[in-house]
Amino acid sequence: MTRLSSPEKLECARKEIVAKIDPSKPCISVCAGAGCLASGAAEVIAAFKTELEFHGLTTEVNTRGTGCPGFCERGPIVMIYPGEICYLQVKPADVPEIVSHTIKEKKVVERLLYVNPATGEKVTRESEIPFYKNQQRNILSENIRLDSKSIDDYLAIGGYSALSKVLFQMKPEDVMGEIKKSNLRGRGGGGFPAWRKWEESRNAPDPIKYVIVNADEGDPGAFMDRALIEGNPHSILEGLIIGAYAVGAHEGFIYVRQEYPLAVVNINLAIRQAAERGLVGKDILGSGFDFTVKVHMGAGAFVCGESSALMTALEGRAGEPRPKYIHTAVKGVWDHPSVLNNVETWANVPQIINKGADWFTQYGTEGSKGTKIFSLVGKISNTGLVEVPMGVTLREIIEKIGGGIPGGKKFKAVQTGGPSGGCIPEAQLDLVVDFDQLTKAGSMMGSGGMIVMDEDTCMVDIARYFIDFLKDESCGKCTPCREGIRQMLRVLTNITTGKGKEGDIELLEELAESMGAALCALGKSAPNPVLSTIRYFRDEYEAHIRQQRCPALACKEMIAFHIDPAKCKACGTCFKQCPAEAIEGGKKRIHVIDQEKCTKCGTCFDVCPKQFGAVGKISGEPVPPPVPEEKRAL
Amino acid sequence: MSEIHLQIDGKDVVASEGMTLVDAAKSVGITIPTLCHHEKLEPYGGCRICTVEVEVRGWPKLVAGCIYPVEKDLVVRTRSEKVDKVRKVLVEEMLAHAPDSEQLKVLAEEYGADKDRFDKHPSFCIHCGLCVRYCAEIKKKHAVGFVDRGSNREISFFPEIAGKECWDCKECFPLCPTSALQAAYVLAESLMSPPEEAGGCGCSCSGHKK
Ligand SMILES: Cc1cc2nc3c(=O)[nH]c(=O)nc-3n(C[C@H](O)[C@H](O)[C@H](O)COP(=O)(O)O)c2cc1C
Ligand code: SF4
């Protein structure tokens, strides 16, 4: 591997790589992201290799494991180029057919295509699948264009050209100016303008400065950072080096959570490859600029993603937030100025440099520019990673991209911003998604988690669920967070188990107010799930407290199952399947649930044939007395 | 050191750079209560009883007075309605752990805190960290530390070190705002039980637990 000692040599190397690529040569790209690997992508890749060898096609067809395109629910995803044919949920057994049909005969394997549930039509090309079609994949689209383990692939799509441009055509102030003009805001939580941190750090007199990638991604269910760092590690690295040049840092850290082993492997490999090519290390591309970077594995706690805790962890101490009234951009790791940005924030940097701030700002709203990747999960037809321009509405994301709520259920709320975000109700679905609007609605952008809930979700129980998560994730250092969460959880547990009291809502609000005094943002934002559900679903809280009723019929302790004697046809299905043997039945006898024995598992409710619909769920009212024995005969 | 002018509870205060709000307030006779603060120890900001309200660019914000440095023209309120409400809840939360603490009783009086607001908790510890930090920073022994996190966080004497160091020291006991006796109790217990028989955290800090 030759070191690239000048921008010209970089361009030569790039030309050489591109020249070797034959655009008409078929290429099989299999997503090798963690999601697809979990559903068997490695076996699929192996099967392709064997099959191609069998047909003697190894040299005529390329295969590669790419980064995650985001439609994980339908993985493993296979794309065949040219033609961009997209096969979903591919198994090793499908591989021979794909090779013989698609590769050899240029025909499409219909059964592996996406079927539009609305029209029943089959869709061949990835870009025509509604899930993708309605996105603006500025960042994510690169993932499937390259083998995540190949620097050549990254160079082929223009990789490191932004770095070269910065080092040879721009002064650090110019870079700063461009980032400022783009108004790139942090994608990891707070939405803080990146240039402000960069400038503060740059202006700090201390000559030792650091730049850091936050790849701790602790939000349960979120995986956009993982997809980026696993799928396109060089883009993060390139962004980081550009940032280092702008602020005058010569050392960097990439803080990756331990639970992302593939991300750790891929980013380490990327750093090694970049170092071999002279893109990291001393005298980068012959510019005289030096930059080295270390990967640090995080120990797992959610709170370690908080900036001061992360920096404490980098110093080798317990990852606990520390009081900071002096910005970490001025006094961070070992008290040196440290610029910390999220993975996605860094990923935007090379694009802004290459395409310009004006290109970037054409997407988005007044205050929030560019695109944002969301992790769309929950009660939604299409789950996965969704990249949209800031400013689309929640409705567009949920209905057009997500494909709506499955099972004919009604939408109830969407929770954004991770565990300490808030729930937004149906009435606000036309809310424009950007940093400021989400905050105004009592939620937040967070790092882009989006959990969709349907009518069967109890909003008090959801609040309880998130507070329960935070109970174990708070570091426990400061009183308002540790004790506030403890007390909130107690109140919420009481409410959802039928032990709520008048005054509980007010108590929750009072606790929430005291948590404003917490040391770090975890404690300060922890009340969001509670406050937002009180704000939009107060009636549900009141029904639990005053009528012992769970309107969503979800809180187990507050519901009962009951067989309507007028509807029961004595088919015996529930009788046979009840795991608690709580149903009294018999041939041609009306079935009755023994409320004492019933564990409320809901099996009878699920299995009672649709045409009878005899089993009902009730809450907040007494269970009708059982039909007397002598009247049970049908 | 340059002089910094700011306003605390309506009084004009002249402070020097690097002073905290607690220090600056003290210089004009205003007391901001503290629990986890100790002059000899690194700033901690754990108990938050020193919470005050400051106005930053017109926005009111709650900050820890024991850490927040004086700033030019800062407006500080140490007894706003919000501050008092927050302190009341914090005292009530801590009283659930240490209802007999003299310091907490005084604070309860001042802020109208109800010691029975929240159910009593078996652990007496209010997590001020004074013992832990004193042992680590001053004595450099690390005989006592925090284990676990979130609601499960507890102090714990590590028997291997405590068995050797503590009997001749015990300097942390009087620091405890709840009750020195209890700290002693925990220590004694952890020394009595061999490490392998101890609870999940490798000691029996939680002699009070379950
Ligand atoms: C409890 C907590 C957890 C956080 N976790 C993460 C995380 O996993 N990843 C991340 O990028 N930012 C996380 N943040 C936000 C960081 O503190 C910080 O604001 C961010 O990394 C800055 O980068 P940005 O400006 O590019 O968003 C977390 C914040 C808090 C309070
Ligand atoms: S707010 Fe919570 S997580 Fe943050 S320092 Fe306090 S206890 Fe720890």
Side-chain angles (χ1 to χ4, degrees):
Chain A
M1 198 67 41
T2 46
R3 268 183 76 87
L4 305 167
S5 52
S6 70
E8 294 73 32
K9 291 218 168 108
L10 171 68
E11 289 320 310
C12 279
R14 193 190 317 283
K15 272 195 201 117
E16 231 170 83
I17 295 162
V18 174
K20 280 195 218 137
I21 299 172
D22 172 3
S24 64
K25 182 172 167 183
C27 174
I28 303 170
S29 293
V30 183
C31 169
C36 281
L37 285 177
S39 45
E43 290 76 19
V44 172
I45 296 175
F48 271 116
K49 294 218 162 116
T50 321
E51 193 64 19
L52 290 172
E53 211 164 294
F54 178 77
H55 287 276
L57 289 170
T58 311
T59 48
E60 274 130 80
V61 180
N62 285 332
T63 41
R64 67 180 172 205
T66 68
C68 170
F71 204 16
C72 310
E73 186 201 32
R74 306 295 179 91
I77 297 175
V78 173
M79 301 272 298
I80 315 268
Y81 300 93
E84 204 200 295
I85 300 166
C86 178
Y87 293 139
L88 305 172
Q89 288 169 320
V90 177
K91 288 178 205 59
D94 301 322
V95 166
E97 192 178 346
I98 297 176
V99 172
S100 63
H101 259 67
T102 310
I103 301 294
K104 293 181 84 169
E105 297 169 31
K106 311 275 177 251
K107 282 194 276 194
V108 172
V109 183
E110 296 270 337
R111 64 181 178 85
L112 294 172
L113 295 177
Y114 174 83
V115 183
N116 188 333
T119 59
E121 261 174 65
K122 291 198 164 142
V123 181
T124 311
R125 292 159 66 93
E126 182 199 54
S127 52
E128 286 158 10
I129 297 176
F131 175 77
Y132 291 113
K133 197 165 82 184
N134 295 300
Q135 298 190 35
Q136 177 63 45
R137 297 164 75 89
N138 290 352
I139 296 176
L140 272 178
S141 62
E142 288 192 351
N143 263 15
I144 49 166
R145 293 173 66 201
L146 45 87
D147 181 335
S148 18
K149 293 195 175 359
S150 160
I151 189 172
D152 283 2
D153 274 18
Y154 186 63
L155 290 173
I157 63 165
Y160 291 106
S161 55
L163 177 63
S164 164
K165 178 174 170 183
V166 158
L167 292 178
F168 293 93
Q169 297 165 37
M170 294 170 88
K171 290 198 285 296
E173 303 85 74
D174 302 335
V175 180
M176 203 68 87
E178 203 64 21
I179 297 298
K180 185 168 177 177
K181 200 167 147 207
S182 77
N183 196 13
L184 172 66
R185 291 173 67 174
R187 265 57 175 157
F192 198 76
W195 67 267
R196 281 228 205 123
K197 283 199 251 188
W198 292 24
E199 198 166 79
E200 240 187 302
S201 224
R202 179 173 171 73
N203 292 341
D206 190 339
I208 299 175
K209 303 179 204 284
Y210 301 108
V211 284
I212 307 163
V213 180
N214 189 343
D216 195 47
E217 200 168 56
D219 293 14
F223 58 105
M224 39 265 156
D225 295 346
R226 185 185 74 190
L228 290 177
I229 204 161
E230 269 178 18
N232 196 357
H234 283 287
S235 69
I236 313 299
L237 187 56
E238 186 178 0
L240 185 69
I241 309 171
I242 294 171
Y245 175 74
V247 305
H250 298 287
E251 270 178 84
F253 297 98
I254 301 178
Y255 189 98
V256 190
R257 67 190 273 120
Q258 215 170 19
E259 289 86 340
Y260 286 177
L262 184 60
V264 174
V265 169
N266 286 3
I267 191 72
N268 271 314
L269 180 66
I271 294 171
R272 221 167 41 240
Q273 291 169 336
E276 282 165 3
R277 291 289 188 129
L279 295 160
V280 156
K282 286 234 167 296
D283 192 19
I284 295 174
L285 285 174
S287 66
F289 180 69
D290 305 336
F291 181 72
T292 54
V293 57
K294 283 198 200 81
V295 175
H296 187 106
M297 275 201 277
F302 173 63
V303 73
C304 289
E306 191 275 335
S307 61
S308 70
L310 184 143
M311 293 189 192
T312 317
L314 279 179
E315 294 171 0
R317 299 190 281 153
E320 221 167 66
R322 58 183 165 191
K324 45 153 198 198
Y325 292 117
I326 297 173
H327 290 167
T328 46
V330 177
K331 233 175 149 182
V333 183
W334 292 296
D335 284 347
H336 297 301
S338 307
V339 169
L340 173 73
N341 279 120
N342 167 259
V343 172
E344 192 183 334
T345 315
W346 289 117
N348 273 291
V349 171
Q351 298 206 3
I352 293 171
I353 295 298
N354 263 337
K355 300 179 188 170
D358 291 334
W359 166 82
F360 184 77
T361 52
Q362 68 177 301
Y363 303 102
T365 60
E366 186 56 33
S368 310
K369 297 296 182 192
T371 59
K372 174 79 194 86
I373 307 178
F374 292 94
S375 160
L376 187 64
V377 297
K379 299 290 169 59
I380 183 98
S381 299
N382 304 323
T383 62
L385 294 183
V386 169
E387 182 178 347
V388 286
M390 302 267 194
V392 302
T393 63
L394 283 168
R395 190 184 298 284
E396 283 172 272
I397 297 180
I398 290 164
E399 291 176 2
K400 276 203 190 147
I401 300 171
I405 318 297
K409 297 278 182 184
K410 264 187 66 187
F411 170 87
K412 186 171 206 173
V414 57
Q415 207 267 359
T416 73
S420 42
C423 293
I424 298 171
E426 164 137 52
Q428 304 250 346
L429 265 189
D430 291 310
L431 189 83
V432 156
V433 174
D434 75 5
F435 289 108
D436 312 309
Q437 293 300 319
L438 285 173
T439 307
K440 244 192 234 163
S443 186
M444 57 185 196
M445 178 79 79
S447 58
M450 212 174 251
I451 306 173
V452 182
M453 301 168 212
D454 69 8
E455 56 187 312
D456 294 339
T457 317
C458 167
M459 300 315 288
V460 188
D461 193 48
I462 279 296
R464 191 200 55 78
Y465 170 84
F466 285 113
I467 293 297
D468 189 43
F469 172 84
L470 292 168
K471 174 195 72 167
D472 298 323
E473 296 301 331
S474 139
C475 78
K477 177 172 175 175
C478 74
T479 318
C481 172
R482 181 189 65 248
E483 302 298 329
I485 288 177
R486 190 205 306 277
Q487 297 303 342
M488 271 190 167
L489 181 61
R490 234 176 40 89
V491 178
L492 291 165
T493 308
N494 280 344
I495 299 179
T496 52
T497 52
K499 295 187 229 105
K501 299 191 298 285
E502 279 303 324
D504 276 355
I505 298 180
E506 292 70 23
L507 174 54
L508 287 171
E509 286 168 337
E510 202 182 331
L511 287 167
E513 186 175 18
S514 73
M515 289 160 82
L519 193 160
C520 84
L522 187 147
K524 283 187 207 291
S525 60
N528 282 345
V530 179
L531 292 179
S532 66
T533 47
I534 292 178
R535 172 166 167 192
Y536 296 118
F537 300 95
R538 197 180 183 103
D539 53 332
E540 288 199 26
Y541 279 82
E542 288 169 351
H544 281 77
I545 295 170
R546 295 185 187 155
Q547 303 155 16
Q548 309 293 302
R549 181 171 65 87
C550 171
L553 300 168
C555 292
K556 264 196 175 178
E557 320 249 348
M558 305 180 78
I559 55 165
F561 290 88
H562 171 67
I563 300 175
D564 184 345
K567 291 184 179 165
C568 178
K569 296 284 183 282
C571 70
T573 314
C574 63
F575 176 80
K576 279 179 231 138
Q577 299 205 31
C578 173
E581 299 186 357
I583 296 175
E584 295 162 18
K587 221 172 179 183
K588 296 207 176 159
R589 286 181 67 77
I590 293 172
H591 287 42
V592 171
I593 299 174
D594 181 342
Q595 297 296 332
E596 296 288 305
K597 286 191 189 163
C598 175
T599 60
K600 299 174 187 171
C601 69
T603 306
C604 53
F605 184 82
D606 296 335
V607 301
C608 181
K610 280 253 155 22
Q611 66 270 32
F612 306 152
V615 181
K617 258 196 234 181
I618 46 181
S619 181
E621 52 184 292
V623 185
V627 185
E629 293 272 356
E630 64 279 10
K631 292 197 180 149
R632 292 192 188 172
L634 270 180
Chain B
M1 281 262 168
S2 58
E3 278 187 349
I4 292 177
H5 292 256
L6 69 160
Q7 202 193 66
I8 304 180
D9 291 347
K11 286 191 192 174
D12 290 320
V13 182
V14 185
S16 49
E17 204 182 319
M19 266 170 108
T20 65
L21 296 183
V22 164
D23 297 337
K26 202 194 242 166
S27 72
V28 293
I30 297 170
T31 312
I32 299 174
T34 59
L35 277 173
C36 72
H37 184 62
H38 191 292
E39 268 145 32
K40 290 200 186 122
L41 302 177
E42 265 187 53
Y44 189 62
C47 74
R48 315 306 279 183
I49 202 72
C50 65
T51 294
V52 295
E53 212 173 345
V54 298
E55 241 170 64
V56 181
R57 286 177 234 107
W59 289 85
K61 200 166 85 162
L62 294 177
V63 301
C66 71
I67 295 163
Y68 202 93
V70 290
E71 275 169 20
K72 187 172 168 296
D73 297 334
L74 194 70
V75 176
V76 185
R77 282 185 291 270
T78 75
R79 289 301 296 258
S80 67
E81 195 188 333
K82 193 177 179 95
V83 167
D84 278 14
K85 268 169 83 181
V86 167
R87 286 192 195 150
K88 171 176 176 287
V89 175
L90 296 181
V91 172
E92 287 169 336
E93 286 170 340
M94 289 190 271
L95 280 168
H97 293 272
D100 303 323
S101 155
E102 290 305 324
Q103 282 187 57
L104 286 178
K105 280 190 205 162
V106 173
L107 287 167
E109 185 80 18
E110 180 72 30
Y111 295 96
D114 171 4
K115 74 174 180 4
D116 299 318
R117 178 97 186 266
F118 300 113
D119 291 350
K120 290 285 154 301
H121 194 274
S123 161
F124 67 85
C125 179
I126 60 163
H127 303 79
C128 66
L130 283 171
C131 55
V132 173
R133 291 181 289 137
Y134 186 86
C135 189
E137 291 173 29
I138 307 284
K139 307 298 290 185
K140 311 233 182 296
K141 299 292 187 210
H142 302 271
V144 55
F146 280 115
V147 291
D148 217 331
R149 61 172 189 253
S151 302
N152 297 324
R153 183 166 160 120
E154 286 292 341
I155 55 154
S156 162
F157 279 88
F158 305 113
E160 320 81 76
I161 308 172
K164 282 204 292 281
E165 308 289 347
C166 297
W167 285 118
D168 298 330
C169 171
K170 300 192 183 110
E171 287 168 31
C172 65
F173 292 4
L175 298 176
C176 180
T178 70
S179 152
L181 276 178
Q182 277 165 314
Y185 169 73
V186 168
L187 168 66
E189 247 217 352
S190 69
L191 294 180
M192 281 181 301
S193 57
E196 54 272 20
E197 279 172 32
C201 53
C203 78
S204 53
C205 57
S206 41
H208 294 69
K209 258 201 263 177
K210 277 164 213 141

